[in-house]
Amino acid sequence: MSFRILQRVWRYSTLLMFAFAASCIASSARATSTPSVQSFFEYSAFSNAQLSPNARYVAMLVPAKDGNVRLGVMDVAERIPKVIASFDGADIVQFHWINDDRLVYAAGDRGVGVGDQHLGPGLFAVNRDGSEFRQLIERSFGLLSAHNATVVRALPANTGFYAAIRGSDDIYVTQHDVTWGVRDRSIRSLNLLRLNTKTGRSTVVERPGVTISWLIDRQGEARAATTLDGDIESVFYRDAGQSKWRKLAQFNAYTGDGFSPYFFGPDGAMYVRARHGKDKESLYRYDLEKNSIDPEPLISLKDYDFSGSVVYNDKKFLGVHFETDADDTRWFDPQMQAIQKSVNDLLPSTVNRISVGYHSDTSVLLVQSFSDIQPSVYFLYDSASKKLTMLGNSMPQIDPLQMSAKDMVRYKARDGREIPAYLTLPKGAGDKNLPLVVLVHGGPFVRGVSWRWNREVQFLASRGYAVLEPEYRGSTGFGWGHFKAGWKQWGLAMQDDVADGTKWAIAQGIADPKRVCIAGASYGGYATLMGLINDPSLYRCGFEWVGVTDINLMYDVNWSDISNEYQQYGMPVLVGDQDKDAVQLKATSPLVNAARIKQPLLLAYGGSDERVPIVHGTKFRDAVKATNQNVDWVEYPEEGHGWQLLKNNVDFWTRVEKFLNKNNGKQ
């Protein structure tokens, strides 16, 4: 029985046990009311809790009341939190412990749209008691050209945090090669610098080529690097204490035959992610003496590619967090396995992800608990006393009893391919003859859905809609065959997978065939428009935001953020060649075929979007409105590829609710 199914069995008999700690069960009066639109899209009230390496302290991000997000630190013994860093007029958006006494953090502004943000995140360092503050990286990009390497001052804004170095005041930062004032979409080398957080002095690490990623060992040395030259990736390695790089392998970036350096174990062994001739990607040890991947994987998942994170301390490799139909953990350490069981016994209705101190000298661990109906809640767990202490709830206004369960289902596409999908049924509405929203994920070459609380899905379910989220071919995470089957299939087999999922839901009696709406963002927006074109009798309406409307525009619009290399080497293989596939790209263009859409349609775009520039939206809007007057249009000038501002999320999803009530509601 899968982890997610076990969670489902436990959930309803044990959810009340969770209330005492999570403070997430609302009063009976609140439980009978429909949650507001805003409640789903509020900013997090508590986030990103992290243990210090010695596990004596925990740091966290907490917003001030009606103010900006601050960085706080709490002694796990005294349990008295203290704010150690904040900005006037800006938020702290991320932080990292670099040793037991010092942290680094970056700035942002969640109340300002992408188009109005003219500063980078910067980087700042401070001790856990608030002393020895130092700015490490500038926020203003205007200082790129003015930077003088002979003066110890903050690094330019094209620099960002990369990794901590255990037991040191140093960190690694990366810096893209740039030509200031010139727009260049070519992939530039990711330079690595070692930076002291107290003096501000940095040294550049020698790179083996146009480096796109680095891997640091447990002693703080850069030991592996991946380079890209056109469509050829190469993996380089150097021995501890040496400066010379040697090439381990090179391979075409689009054939799936290579491997990715993943982490160095405490014993110095290098582990990689690779298919190694199989369909699914697994975690392997790399034999550096034989210059080959071990024949048997360390972690292999039957129906999924390995995706996760490693848990280790200064002594040994403890376990691996990973994702199948839900998040799970495999512990190699018996003591950690016993601790996981104890935590699960206390919190049986959630996934409970445990973090440990790197060289912990306490019995305290950090637990992040979440599920499909519960946003993240953070706890401290004392393994000696076996007691939980709540730290904070990311979304305290969300009542799990009002949320709707999500389950993975699988259905057959018309050519026999099995398609995974997540199905969310609105709580209390039964499982038959429901209005359905088919929500298509973006990417498209990503895993789009997880068994976690999702604000958009739960909002739709709270309004009475079942939600189907297909992992159509081309989606990653389900094996190379599933991914490759989506190559050059925009508007074709990828689109058929979505339609076949819709037909499956109708055949199962779940969906009312007269009340089905298709929706999505980015590629999901493209699929929404193509769904209305290809299957007009299947979908009653559609709404999309920041959607691609023409593949040729992805090539031709030169102010997008798509790299030259991806246009030259990736898109012709994965999406379509402008010349060789010209007929196909025309046939599968929503822009070219706009006149075929007769159903009601809601379109929304960000005026500052560099991934899918707004010209995709305006050209399509003008084309479709020429023959279809039932088209609603909204533009958020300050937004990018999705909505950052609360007011815009509330506005958009309020529009969606009205649109669905009008076009996909009760008969």
Side-chain angles (χ1 to χ4, degrees):
M1 183 179 290
S2 75
F3 183 79
R4 186 261 311 152
I5 293 174
L6 286 172
Q7 297 295 81
R8 180 71 62 229
V9 171
W10 289 330
R11 174 170 297 105
Y12 296 110
S13 62
T14 59
L15 186 56
L16 290 175
M17 295 172 58
F18 186 55
F20 82 96
S23 300
C24 54
I25 302 301
S27 67
S28 17
R30 177 180 161 199
T32 59
S33 62
T34 301
S36 68
V37 178
Q38 181 163 329
S39 66
F40 289 93
F41 298 96
E42 286 279 9
Y43 302 122
S44 294
F46 182 99
S47 62
N48 201 24
Q50 296 178 28
L51 280 177
S52 62
N54 62 7
R56 290 188 174 274
Y57 306 93
V58 60
M60 65 212 79
L61 296 180
V62 183
K65 187 176 181 180
D66 301 322
N68 297 108
V69 177
R70 306 165 299 170
L71 175 60
V73 171
M74 184 180 76
D75 186 310
V76 299
E78 298 177 0
R79 306 292 169 95
I80 301 174
K82 175 186 176 182
V83 174
I84 65 164
S86 62
F87 294 105
D88 292 330
D91 301 301
I92 295 177
V93 295
Q94 60 173 290
F95 70 89
H96 306 273
W97 286 98
I98 62 170
N99 56 47
D100 294 332
D101 300 309
R102 196 156 175 80
L103 304 94
V104 293
Y105 58 94
D109 194 337
R110 63 183 186 178
V112 175
V114 170
D116 295 329
Q117 292 193 12
H118 307 295
L119 297 173
L123 194 69
F124 308 84
V126 69
N127 287 345
R128 60 175 169 77
D129 61 1
S131 64
E132 292 195 70
F133 167 86
R134 186 178 185 97
Q135 183 170 1
L136 302 171
I137 296 174
E138 298 282 1
R139 296 196 66 196
S140 172
F141 286 95
L143 295 172
L144 282 175
S145 58
H147 180 65
N148 185 343
T150 63
V151 179
V152 180
R153 54 169 294 173
L155 292 169
N158 63 318
T159 314
F161 176 85
Y162 196 73
I165 300 175
R166 305 293 180 183
S168 169
D169 289 324
D170 289 3
I171 59 173
Y172 281 111
V173 295
T174 52
Q175 192 176 87
H176 278 284
D177 287 337
V178 296
T179 303
W180 182 241
V182 176
R183 186 178 184 86
D184 186 350
R185 297 185 302 156
S186 297
I187 291 177
R188 310 300 291 269
S189 184
L190 193 65
N191 297 319
L192 187 70
L193 293 80
R194 182 164 178 151
L195 170 65
N196 185 277
T197 64
K198 290 192 172 181
T199 67
R201 295 187 179 277
S202 61
T203 56
V204 178
V205 176
E206 182 182 354
R207 55 181 170 84
V210 180
T211 306
I212 57 173
S213 68
W214 299 83
L215 191 64
I216 314 300
D217 70 9
R218 300 278 75 82
Q219 287 69 46
E221 279 194 66
R223 298 281 301 284
T226 303
T227 65
L228 182 65
D229 182 8
D231 58 353
I232 300 299
E233 282 190 23
S234 300
V235 177
F236 290 84
Y237 172 82
R238 63 180 183 181
D239 294 313
Q242 302 299 309
S243 60
K244 186 177 180 180
W245 293 97
R246 62 182 172 97
K247 185 184 292 187
L248 298 181
Q250 72 174 39
F251 37 83
N252 188 290
Y254 300 101
T255 61
D257 295 327
F259 62 89
S260 302
Y262 196 66
F263 81 102
F264 282 98
D267 60 352
M270 186 172 78
Y271 294 85
V272 301
R273 287 199 313 178
R275 287 177 51 239
H276 204 28
K278 301 177 182 178
D279 181 62
K280 305 295 187 296
E281 193 170 46
S282 300
L283 184 64
Y284 291 87
R285 179 183 174 275
Y286 192 93
D287 190 322
L288 291 163
E289 292 185 1
K290 297 180 180 179
N291 201 29
S292 64
I293 297 172
D294 282 356
E296 295 301 321
L298 181 68
I299 295 287
S300 182
L301 308 172
K302 180 177 180 293
D303 296 317
Y304 304 86
D305 293 315
F306 169 76
S307 176
S309 57
V310 175
V311 188
Y312 55 86
N313 58 24
D314 56 349
K315 297 181 178 63
K316 58 183 175 179
F317 181 16
L318 298 174
V320 178
H321 298 310
F322 59 90
E323 184 178 17
T324 54
D325 58 340
D327 289 75
D328 204 349
T329 301
R330 182 178 300 175
W331 293 110
F332 302 113
D333 180 74
Q335 183 179 3
M336 288 303 306
Q337 189 172 1
I339 289 172
Q340 183 76 64
K341 182 180 183 306
S342 297
V343 171
N344 289 349
D345 288 344
L346 292 171
L347 301 171
S349 298
T350 50
V351 172
N352 304 304
R353 175 163 285 188
I354 298 174
S355 301
V356 302
Y358 181 69
H359 55 86
S360 177
D361 55 12
T362 77
S363 57
V364 174
L365 303 98
L366 179 69
V367 180
Q368 180 187 8
S369 296
F370 56 89
S371 75
D372 54 344
I373 62 173
Q374 172 62 63
S376 288
V377 181
Y378 293 87
F379 300 89
L380 292 178
Y381 176 71
D382 191 319
S383 60
S385 65
K386 296 187 177 181
K387 290 184 179 180
L388 281 170
T389 302
M390 181 183 169
L391 280 175
N393 187 340
S394 62
M395 301 286 283
Q397 75 280 10
I398 294 298
D399 178 359
L401 290 180
Q402 293 180 295
M403 299 296 105
S404 301
K406 172 186 286 192
D407 281 296
M408 177 171 276
V409 298
R410 293 176 183 265
Y411 60 85
K412 293 288 187 180
R414 63 194 65 181
D415 64 355
R417 176 168 293 280
E418 186 177 74
I419 307 298
Y422 283 90
L423 177 66
T424 303
L425 299 180
K427 186 175 177 63
D431 59 0
K432 299 295 181 183
N433 207 38
L434 298 168
L436 175 69
V437 174
V438 182
L439 190 61
V440 188
H441 73 73
F445 306 118
V446 297
R447 177 167 177 171
V449 191
S450 295
W451 191 75
R452 292 193 176 201
W453 186 85
N454 179 286
R455 60 186 72 225
E456 296 161 354
V457 171
Q458 290 295 338
F459 168 72
L460 291 168
S462 76
R463 270 51 185 174
Y465 298 95
V467 182
L468 181 69
E469 301 173 272
E471 294 281 10
Y472 47 81
R473 71 191 68 201
S475 301
T476 59
F478 303 94
W480 181 257
H482 193 73
F483 167 53
K484 190 173 182 180
W487 290 11
K488 292 192 178 184
Q489 293 301 307
W490 286 43
L492 301 172
M494 291 167 73
Q495 197 68 46
D496 292 341
D497 290 346
V498 176
D500 292 342
T502 307
K503 293 173 182 177
W504 170 86
I506 292 170
Q508 296 293 311
I510 296 166
D512 179 348
K514 296 181 179 179
R515 294 187 293 165
V516 180
C517 191
I518 186 170
S522 195
Y523 171 83
Y526 168 90
T528 295
L529 301 176
M530 285 306 302
L532 298 175
I533 292 167
N534 287 1
D535 299 284
S537 63
L538 196 58
Y539 303 112
R540 186 173 177 180
C541 59
F543 64 93
E544 66 96 346
W545 62 111
V546 300
V548 172
T549 64
D550 183 76
I551 293 171
N552 280 312
L553 280 178
M554 295 172 66
Y555 280 102
D556 297 339
V557 175
N558 60 13
W559 60 89
S560 78
D561 64 359
I562 297 175
S563 73
N564 295 336
E565 286 80 2
Y566 182 62
Q567 281 194 349
Q568 183 177 354
Y569 300 105
M571 283 182 60
V573 173
L574 302 180
V575 182
D577 187 286
Q578 264 195 305
D579 297 322
K580 296 177 182 178
D581 302 312
V583 174
Q584 176 180 318
L585 298 192
K586 183 177 180 180
T588 57
S589 166
L591 180 59
V592 173
N593 295 280
R596 294 170 57 188
I597 296 180
K598 306 301 182 184
Q599 305 95 315
L601 182 61
L602 171 61
L603 307 168
Y605 284 81
S608 301
D609 191 348
E610 292 190 352
R611 178 61 47 86
V612 179
I614 195 171
V615 65
H616 279 264
T618 54
K619 280 182 174 289
F620 181 81
R621 174 200 63 195
D622 295 344
V624 75
K625 277 195 168 186
T627 55
N628 183 351
Q629 293 306 302
N630 199 355
V631 176
D632 296 327
W633 166 266
V634 59
E635 176 185 344
Y636 302 111
E638 72 275 35
E639 294 284 16
H641 199 56
W643 322 140
Q644 174 166 310
L645 301 186
L646 175 61
K647 68 181 181 69
N648 291 338
N649 269 303
V650 172
D651 178 79
F652 175 70
W653 289 98
T654 299
R655 290 172 186 263
V656 168
E657 182 173 12
K658 293 177 180 177
F659 177 83
L660 288 173
N661 287 344
K662 177 182 177 181
N663 299 297
N664 205 44
K666 294 182 179 180
Q667 298 294 301

